[in-house]
Amino acid sequence: MNAVSRRSLSSWWLRLHHGRSAKSYPPAVSLLLVSPLMALLIVGFLYPVARLVQLSFTNGGEPYARLVRSGLYVGVLTDTILISATVAILCLVLGYPVALAMARLRRPVALLVAACVFIPLWTSVLIRSYAWVVLLQRNGLVNDLLITVGLIDMPLRLLYTHGAVILAMTHVLLPFAILPIQATLRSLPADLTRAASNLGATPVRAFLLVTLPLSLPGVFAGTLLCFVLALGFYITPALVGGPNSMMMATLIGQQTLVVLDWPFAAALSTLLLTVSLVLVAVFRRALAYNKGFSSVH
């Protein structure tokens, strides 16, 4: 080995163990620190997903052919996507004003609003779903109130409908939209809005041209989080929607626990995962074109 090769090897060895500057970890230390997380990711996510996809092709792709032949499963998938998109939009519309209030109000009032957001989040999803069953059933509080005030004569069918599912899921997922938006709004300097006002912009115009565009990363994160969680929701649709409002997670649970058709359940899960990844990629690209996601060019 000549002198040039030895110097190159020595330089590579120093960079590997000492890093390029005092502010960064050496590559060897970085790999050591990341290795537990990578092992957890491989064992807890990548390997199960790979096994799931392999199981879906156990019978030579017959579960996927069954999916194509039957319009029932395509309809369930379509309903799941539409309900999830509706829930995500409602969470955004209802959550943005709350997030703005948490970021702009004075501390005592902001803490009160934050408590109203966090306390339901700390409550079990099962309890909140049962609460909606109590409210929306034929002899529930909503029907009793409508009959008492004279708006209706007979109880309405509020439970086991798409509307009940959307309402209950929006209530459960609303904090997941509020928190990312609130974190983004809190990080925005207040001087930007004041500068826009000094230049003659009205409060509405300053919000539309300054605050809203700069908060799009939080909007993207919160809306996407609600949408992905809604795609895989199981407890709330099963309790509030019943058999008339079946979603993909409920169908997968039925195929796994009742029918015991594991290959078909794996095919449904793989399809739902693929649709989720495609929609996330499309949503991310659409936001990148609007310059709301600075990491994509």
Side-chain angles (χ1 to χ4, degrees):
M1 183 180 296
N2 54 32
V4 176
S5 299
R6 285 196 298 271
R7 282 197 299 270
S8 300
L9 182 60
S10 176
S11 176
W12 172 82
W13 183 261
L14 289 175
R15 288 199 304 270
L16 179 66
H17 287 276
H18 298 286
R20 296 183 178 181
S21 67
K23 296 182 180 180
S24 62
Y25 288 106
V29 177
S30 300
L31 291 175
L32 183 63
L33 292 174
V34 174
S35 58
L37 178 61
M38 294 300 297
L40 181 63
L41 179 64
I42 293 172
V43 175
F45 179 74
L46 295 180
Y47 176 74
V49 170
R51 289 286 298 165
L52 183 72
V53 176
Q54 181 184 7
L55 180 62
S56 67
F57 287 97
T58 300
N59 298 327
E62 190 275 335
Y64 293 100
R66 180 179 168 189
L67 276 172
V68 175
R69 288 194 304 265
S70 176
L72 172 64
Y73 307 115
V74 178
V76 172
L77 177 61
T78 304
D79 289 344
T80 301
I81 295 174
L82 292 177
I83 291 175
S84 301
T86 304
V87 170
I89 293 173
L90 287 176
C91 287
L92 172 62
V93 173
L94 298 175
Y96 198 102
V98 179
L100 188 63
M102 291 175 62
R104 297 294 174 83
L105 292 177
R106 296 184 180 273
R107 186 172 182 82
V109 183
L111 290 177
L112 179 61
V113 176
C116 295
V117 173
F118 280 107
I119 290 176
L121 186 62
W122 296 334
T123 307
S124 171
V125 177
L126 183 63
I127 295 175
R128 284 183 281 173
S129 300
Y130 268 123
W132 281 107
V133 174
V134 174
L135 289 172
L136 299 178
Q137 62 185 345
R138 288 184 60 85
N139 297 322
L141 296 179
V142 175
N143 275 316
D144 288 347
L145 179 61
L146 293 176
I147 293 175
T148 301
V149 298
L151 294 178
I152 58 175
D153 297 326
M154 298 292 293
L156 298 176
R157 185 175 177 271
L158 302 176
L159 199 61
Y160 305 133
T161 61
H162 280 18
V165 173
I166 292 173
L167 182 63
M169 289 177 62
T170 301
H171 170 245
V172 172
L173 295 177
L174 189 58
F176 295 98
I178 295 174
L179 297 179
I181 298 174
Q182 184 266 344
T184 303
L185 290 172
R186 184 176 289 275
S187 66
L188 299 180
D191 296 339
L192 296 176
T193 305
R194 287 195 291 266
S197 300
N198 292 334
L199 292 174
T202 62
V204 175
R205 188 175 179 83
F207 171 77
L208 294 177
L209 296 181
V210 178
T211 305
L212 182 60
L214 293 177
S215 65
L216 284 181
V219 170
F220 165 73
T223 306
L224 183 61
L225 183 61
C226 291
F227 178 74
V228 173
L229 290 175
L231 282 176
F233 237 51
Y234 178 78
I235 296 177
T236 302
L239 291 178
V240 181
N244 296 325
S245 299
M246 182 174 292
M247 296 181 65
M248 284 293 289
T250 311
L251 180 61
I252 293 170
Q254 182 187 75
Q255 295 294 322
T256 305
L257 302 175
V258 180
V259 184
L260 300 180
D261 192 347
W262 285 82
F264 188 62
L268 292 172
S269 303
T270 304
L271 177 62
L272 184 61
L273 176 62
T274 304
V275 171
S276 303
L277 294 177
V278 170
L279 292 176
V280 167
V282 170
F283 192 10
R284 185 173 185 269
R285 179 60 60 181
L287 189 62
Y289 284 137
N290 198 33
K291 298 182 180 179
F293 199 74
S294 57
S295 63
V296 182
H297 301 282

